[in-house]
PDB file of all heavy atoms in Angstrom:
ATOM      1  N   CYS T  40      99.328 129.435  39.808  1.00 94.00           N
ATOM      2  CA  CYS T  40      98.369 130.572  40.093  1.00 94.00           C
ATOM      3  C   CYS T  40      97.440 130.720  38.835  1.00 94.00           C
ATOM      4  O   CYS T  40      97.717 130.155  37.777  1.00 94.00           O
ATOM      5  CB  CYS T  40      99.150 131.856  40.350  1.00 94.00           C
ATOM      6  SG  CYS T  40     100.213 132.410  39.035  1.00 94.00           S
ATOM      7  N   CYS T  42      97.067 133.116  36.697  1.00 93.00           N
ATOM      8  CA  CYS T  42      97.678 133.654  35.500  1.00 93.00           C
ATOM      9  C   CYS T  42      98.474 132.641  34.771  1.00 93.00           C
ATOM     10  O   CYS T  42      98.657 132.625  33.523  1.00 93.00           O
ATOM     11  CB  CYS T  42      98.471 134.958  35.770  1.00 93.00           C
ATOM     12  SG  CYS T  42      99.715 134.772  37.018  1.00 93.00           S
ATOM     13  N   HIS T  43      99.121 131.712  35.569  1.00 93.00           N
ATOM     14  CA  HIS T  43      99.835 130.612  34.975  1.00 93.00           C
ATOM     15  C   HIS T  43      98.952 129.768  34.199  1.00 93.00           C
ATOM     16  O   HIS T  43      99.204 129.266  32.973  1.00 93.00           O
ATOM     17  CB  HIS T  43     100.615 129.853  36.087  1.00 93.00           C
ATOM     18  CG  HIS T  43     101.551 128.860  35.549  1.00 93.00           C
ATOM     19  ND1 HIS T  43     102.859 129.164  35.071  1.00 93.00           N
ATOM     20  CD2 HIS T  43     101.445 127.490  35.453  1.00 93.00           C
ATOM     21  CE1 HIS T  43     103.436 128.067  34.660  1.00 93.00           C
ATOM     22  NE2 HIS T  43     102.614 127.027  34.841  1.00 93.00           N
ATOM     23  N   LEU T  44      97.825 129.368  34.765  1.00 95.00           N
ATOM     24  CA  LEU T  44      96.806 128.533  34.052  1.00 95.00           C
ATOM     25  C   LEU T  44      96.222 129.224  32.849  1.00 95.00           C
ATOM     26  O   LEU T  44      95.909 128.584  31.834  1.00 95.00           O
ATOM     27  CB  LEU T  44      95.712 128.195  35.121  1.00 95.00           C
ATOM     28  CG  LEU T  44      96.134 127.328  36.315  1.00 95.00           C
ATOM     29  CD1 LEU T  44      94.935 127.147  37.249  1.00 95.00           C
ATOM     30  CD2 LEU T  44      96.575 125.968  35.836  1.00 95.00           C
ATOM     31  N   THR T  46      97.839 131.251  30.908  1.00 92.00           N
ATOM     32  CA  THR T  46      98.873 131.136  29.898  1.00 92.00           C
ATOM     33  C   THR T  46      98.798 129.700  29.259  1.00 92.00           C
ATOM     34  O   THR T  46      98.749 129.543  28.021  1.00 92.00           O
ATOM     35  CB  THR T  46     100.282 131.328  30.473  1.00 92.00           C
ATOM     36  OG1 THR T  46     100.288 132.607  31.112  1.00 92.00           O
ATOM     37  CG2 THR T  46     101.291 131.283  29.350  1.00 92.00           C
ATOM     38  N   HIS T 113     106.985 129.045  31.440  1.00 84.00           N
ATOM     39  CA  HIS T 113     106.453 129.539  30.079  1.00 84.00           C
ATOM     40  C   HIS T 113     106.942 130.925  29.805  1.00 84.00           C
ATOM     41  O   HIS T 113     106.747 131.754  30.618  1.00 84.00           O
ATOM     42  CB  HIS T 113     104.966 129.362  30.083  1.00 84.00           C
ATOM     43  CG  HIS T 113     104.387 127.991  30.121  1.00 84.00           C
ATOM     44  ND1 HIS T 113     104.095 127.304  29.042  1.00 84.00           N
ATOM     45  CD2 HIS T 113     104.240 127.181  31.188  1.00 84.00           C
ATOM     46  CE1 HIS T 113     103.700 126.046  29.402  1.00 84.00           C
ATOM     47  NE2 HIS T 113     103.812 125.977  30.720  1.00 84.00           N
ATOM     48  N   CYS T 116     104.468 133.686  30.207  1.00 88.00           N
ATOM     49  CA  CYS T 116     103.746 133.789  31.547  1.00 88.00           C
ATOM     50  C   CYS T 116     104.525 134.709  32.376  1.00 88.00           C
ATOM     51  O   CYS T 116     105.714 134.694  32.547  1.00 88.00           O
ATOM     52  CB  CYS T 116     103.674 132.462  32.167  1.00 88.00           C
ATOM     53  SG  CYS T 116     102.704 132.552  33.666  1.00 88.00           S
ATOM     54  N   GLU T 117     103.788 135.612  33.116  1.00 85.00           N
ATOM     55  CA  GLU T 117     104.320 136.558  33.985  1.00 85.00           C
ATOM     56  C   GLU T 117     104.141 136.243  35.492  1.00 85.00           C
ATOM     57  O   GLU T 117     104.303 137.135  36.304  1.00 85.00           O
ATOM     58  CB  GLU T 117     103.817 137.967  33.667  1.00 85.00           C
ATOM     59  CG  GLU T 117     104.259 138.395  32.330  1.00 85.00           C
ATOM     60  CD  GLU T 117     103.836 139.889  32.068  1.00 85.00           C
ATOM     61  OE1 GLU T 117     103.294 140.534  32.936  1.00 85.00           O
ATOM     62  OE2 GLU T 117     104.110 140.351  30.886  1.00 85.00           O
ATOM     63  N   CYS T 118     103.805 135.081  35.804  1.00 86.00           N
ATOM     64  CA  CYS T 118     103.605 134.664  37.176  1.00 86.00           C
ATOM     65  C   CYS T 118     104.972 134.559  37.866  1.00 86.00           C
ATOM     66  O   CYS T 118     105.981 134.465  37.220  1.00 86.00           O
ATOM     67  CB  CYS T 118     102.890 133.330  37.295  1.00 86.00           C
ATOM     68  SG  CYS T 118     103.831 131.845  37.203  1.00 86.00           S
ATOM     69  N   PRO T 119     105.013 134.645  39.198  1.00 85.00           N
ATOM     70  CA  PRO T 119     106.296 134.684  39.910  1.00 85.00           C
ATOM     71  C   PRO T 119     107.077 133.449  39.658  1.00 85.00           C
ATOM     72  O   PRO T 119     108.350 133.474  39.786  1.00 85.00           O
ATOM     73  CB  PRO T 119     105.820 134.757  41.400  1.00 85.00           C
ATOM     74  CG  PRO T 119     104.436 135.249  41.385  1.00 85.00           C
ATOM     75  CD  PRO T 119     103.851 134.785  40.138  1.00 85.00           C
ATOM     76  N   HIS T 120     106.375 132.345  39.317  1.00 84.00           N
ATOM     77  CA  HIS T 120     107.143 131.089  39.078  1.00 84.00           C
ATOM     78  C   HIS T 120     107.999 131.050  37.727  1.00 84.00           C
ATOM     79  O   HIS T 120     109.090 130.751  37.670  1.00 84.00           O
ATOM     80  CB  HIS T 120     106.202 129.926  39.109  1.00 84.00           C
ATOM     81  CG  HIS T 120     106.788 128.581  38.667  1.00 84.00           C
ATOM     82  ND1 HIS T 120     107.683 127.996  39.524  1.00 84.00           N
ATOM     83  CD2 HIS T 120     106.615 127.885  37.536  1.00 84.00           C
ATOM     84  CE1 HIS T 120     108.099 126.863  38.879  1.00 84.00           C
ATOM     85  NE2 HIS T 120     107.471 126.693  37.736  1.00 84.00           N
ATOM     86  N   CYS T 121     107.277 131.611  36.760  1.00 87.00           N
ATOM     87  CA  CYS T 121     107.897 131.642  35.367  1.00 87.00           C
ATOM     88  C   CYS T 121     108.756 132.880  35.209  1.00 87.00           C
ATOM     89  O   CYS T 121     109.755 132.813  34.400  1.00 87.00           O
ATOM     90  CB  CYS T 121     106.744 131.766  34.336  1.00 87.00           C
ATOM     91  SG  CYS T 121     105.792 130.227  34.285  1.00 87.00           S
ATOM     92  N   ALA T 122     108.464 134.020  35.795  1.00 86.00           N
ATOM     93  CA  ALA T 122     109.205 135.213  35.589  1.00 86.00           C
ATOM     94  C   ALA T 122     109.518 135.885  36.933  1.00 86.00           C
ATOM     95  O   ALA T 122     108.951 136.976  37.268  1.00 86.00           O
ATOM     96  CB  ALA T 122     108.502 136.174  34.673  1.00 86.00           C
TER      97      ALA T 122
HETATM   98 ZN1   ZN Q 201     103.615 130.918  35.075  1.00 62.20          ZN
END
Side-chain angles (χ1 to χ4, degrees):
C40 61
C42 57
H43 188 78
L44 296 173
T46 305
H113 293 264
C116 184
E117 294 186 3
C118 86
H120 173 70
C121 294

